[in-house]
Amino acid sequence: MRQIYQDLGCSSKFIALPGRRALSSFNQGQIDAEAFRLTLVEEKYQRPFLRSHHPVLQLYSYLWVAPDYKETDQRPFGYVKGILWQEGYAKGKRFSAFHNTTNLLKAYNSGKIAGFLASGTAIRLKTEKNVLSPPPIAFQQVHSAPLYHYTQEGYRKFIMLFDQHIEKHKPFAEISEKMQVPAEKSRLITN
């Protein structure tokens, strides 16, 4: 994303913020843009905004389970509060909320939860770094959605140039492909 901004001649400062804090900062005019956002954020914006025409990435998210998980397991699953798609999926189901991913993964590693919601990319990175023990299995794909780039309303020319750049160069195509867990590596729900 930094390279795209640079290619378009824009100076920028990127900061990582939790989902809800980023939304609040956008609504308060403290930040001008948000990268890699789902369209469901649009109903939460309180200021006029622009969305890139082309998605930047495709997000694939899963219910991950411990390798010894059985459908009779009574342990809850976990999700991170503030991640809107996770909150929506977990509502009314046997899920426990965590304030951050670190605490969620600690609960998984200690066996307190049978599994959790997360994107394929996030878990691939955690597994490669041996952060998860035992490495979880993608039980079911529960969410697939395009991620867009959003800006405050005054950046119409930038969004137009951004879209042209994305269409021409497809800078995230390979990353989007790697984000999906192959079907043969997932275990589907039988009922």
Side-chain angles (χ1 to χ4, degrees):
M1 190 62 84
R2 283 183 178 96
Q3 185 62 51
I4 293 170
Y5 269 69
Q6 192 174 16
D7 291 349
L8 296 177
C10 296
S11 62
S12 58
K13 178 181 177 184
F14 288 87
I15 55 173
L17 294 172
R20 288 197 174 172
R21 191 170 317 144
L23 180 62
S24 175
S25 296
F26 188 90
N27 285 335
Q28 293 173 24
Q30 297 168 341
I31 60 175
D32 295 324
E34 290 197 280
F36 312 116
R37 281 298 220 165
L38 299 167
T39 56
L40 58 85
V41 77
E42 293 176 8
E43 65 188 39
K44 306 287 185 187
Y45 283 145
Q46 298 169 354
R47 298 174 60 106
F49 63 89
L50 299 169
R51 178 182 77 200
S52 61
H53 179 72
H54 299 289
V56 181
L57 287 173
Q58 184 72 24
L59 176 71
Y60 299 97
S61 300
Y62 302 85
L63 172 60
W64 297 88
V65 298
D68 64 349
Y69 173 76
K70 305 249 183 301
E71 290 190 44
T72 56
D73 197 317
Q74 293 301 304
R75 293 174 293 170
F77 297 104
Y79 74 96
V80 177
K81 284 176 102 171
I83 300 177
L84 297 175
W85 74 265
Q86 289 187 14
E87 288 180 349
Y89 182 83
K91 190 173 185 170
K93 297 182 182 115
R94 191 172 36 105
F95 276 83
S96 292
F98 291 84
H99 292 288
N100 57 51
T101 303
T102 301
N103 290 340
L104 177 131
L105 297 180
K106 282 181 185 176
Y108 171 78
N109 286 339
S110 68
K112 291 179 181 168
I113 58 175
F116 51 88
L117 296 172
S119 71
T121 303
I123 299 312
R124 183 178 298 115
L125 293 172
K126 300 288 185 191
T127 302
E128 288 171 1
K129 293 179 180 182
N130 296 318
V131 173
L132 295 165
S133 181
I137 295 168
F139 190 70
Q140 180 182 32
Q141 182 178 323
V142 297
H143 192 258
S144 173
L147 298 174
Y148 292 92
H149 188 41
Y150 288 87
T151 66
Q152 298 283 350
E153 187 178 47
Y155 294 93
R156 189 165 304 281
K157 184 175 180 184
F158 169 81
I159 281 291
M160 187 178 73
L161 293 172
F162 180 86
D163 275 324
Q164 290 170 358
H165 190 281
I166 293 292
E167 176 142 24
K168 182 178 180 183
H169 300 286
K170 300 186 185 343
F172 301 105
E174 188 176 310
I175 296 169
S176 283
E177 230 174 79
K178 288 180 181 179
M179 290 177 79
Q180 189 167 18
V181 173
E184 67 271 7
K185 291 192 176 187
S186 66
R187 190 168 78 182
L188 297 175
I189 293 176
T190 55
N191 58 1

